[in-house]
Amino acid sequence: MAAVMAPLIETRGLTLHYGGLKAVDGVDFTLEAGEIHALIGPNGAGKTSFVSLLSGRRLPQSGRILLAGEDITRLPAQLRVRKGIAYTFQITSIFPRLSVFDNVALAVQAQGTRDLENRTRAALARVGLDGLEEQEAGTLSYGHQRLLELAMGLALKPRLLILDEPTQGLAASEIEGFKALVRSLVPETTVLLIEHNMEVVMDLASRITVLTFGRVLASGTPAAIRANPAVQEAYLGA
């Protein structure tokens, strides 16, 4: 009998408090390898706090985080990057005074300097920024800065890529290109997407988890989430 593969990410009873505020309140969550999974919910639902726990930017008060069955609950963020977790932030986190090339090269160096130039150029080409290598990153348009941030994440060759509001500020034409890019990443890379644009969510995600008040309200296919009365009331609107 074949062994059952562990989920890529599994959380059990994950909790994060800020003073008396329960930003993440006992969350059980499963992310299967090779899927595009969206995390949605109203502002203040705990989405960014939850992925901060997954990436190691914050540590939980209680609960566990498993990466392919390995307990990484207390592992520092930089060691999670080496294990294949890349997190692009809600606000662009580029180095504005460095060149486009150097921004991505710094990400590549996080995994060693071997084949630095080829890996850097390949990541830039993947997001359509080839030809802009020497441009100062801070002079890029907002949409191109978001793509640069994505290239920095892809340069790490992640097993899991966490995208936090990646289409915020993008033009419609840029969003179409972004969706095509994300689809091209799976199944080699698993994508966890935090996104308010419901058209993007419903178009890309194979599964959706809805958070509200730091708890999981529902999880399922896009069709099941769209039809869920509790989700309609809390977030989607009737």
Side-chain angles (χ1 to χ4, degrees):
M1 188 173 179
V4 177
M5 291 282 291
L8 181 64
I9 289 286
E10 184 177 6
T11 73
R12 302 173 185 169
L14 208 58
T15 301
L16 176 65
H17 295 175
Y18 299 110
L21 173 66
K22 295 180 179 179
V24 179
D25 190 9
V27 169
D28 296 331
F29 174 81
T30 301
L31 179 65
E32 300 295 342
E35 71 171 338
I36 301 173
H37 193 127
L39 192 64
I40 68 172
N43 289 329
K47 304 182 296 297
T48 296
S49 293
F50 177 69
V51 296
S52 293
L53 294 173
L54 296 185
S55 66
R57 287 169 59 79
R58 293 192 177 274
L59 297 179
Q61 271 83 19
S62 61
R64 298 177 70 202
I65 304 170
L66 304 177
L67 173 65
E70 177 188 357
D71 193 326
I72 62 166
T73 309
R74 298 288 157 187
L75 200 67
Q78 65 271 22
L79 296 184
R80 297 191 201 196
V81 170
R82 292 182 188 173
K83 287 186 175 290
I85 298 177
Y87 176 25
T88 68
F89 308 124
Q90 188 172 14
I91 301 171
T92 50
S93 55
I94 63 169
F95 299 97
R97 298 196 175 216
L98 295 182
S99 70
V100 167
F101 182 92
D102 286 346
N103 267 268
V104 179
L106 283 172
V108 173
Q109 282 182 326
Q111 293 189 325
T113 57
R114 188 176 178 181
D115 206 19
L116 177 70
E117 181 164 350
N118 286 338
R119 285 179 60 185
T120 299
R121 293 190 184 280
L124 288 168
R126 189 78 183 267
V127 303
L129 292 181
D130 44 331
L132 299 177
E133 290 91 345
E134 301 309 315
Q135 187 167 335
E136 191 173 289
T139 67
L140 293 173
S141 69
Y142 183 78
H144 280 170
Q145 287 185 26
R146 299 309 302 264
L147 291 175
L148 175 57
E149 189 185 40
L150 182 55
M152 292 164 71
L154 292 177
L156 298 170
K157 296 188 175 180
R159 299 160 74 185
L160 170 61
L161 180 63
I162 303 173
L163 300 173
D164 197 346
E165 299 289 352
T167 68
Q168 186 178 35
L170 298 189
S173 58
E174 292 172 325
I175 289 175
E176 287 305 310
F178 166 79
K179 290 194 292 187
L181 174 61
V182 170
R183 289 192 190 99
S184 76
L185 300 179
V186 294
E188 289 81 10
T189 300
T190 302
V191 177
L192 179 59
L193 174 70
I194 302 174
E195 182 58 66
H196 276 110
N197 186 323
M198 293 309 300
E199 288 186 13
V200 171
V201 168
M202 294 296 177
D203 200 22
L204 279 180
S206 53
R207 284 201 302 152
I208 300 171
T209 294
V210 186
L211 290 183
T212 183
F213 300 113
R215 297 181 178 181
V216 174
L217 178 64
S219 190
T221 65
I225 293 300
R226 200 193 307 262
N228 186 305
V231 175
Q232 290 177 5
E233 182 179 350
Y235 183 56
L236 295 181

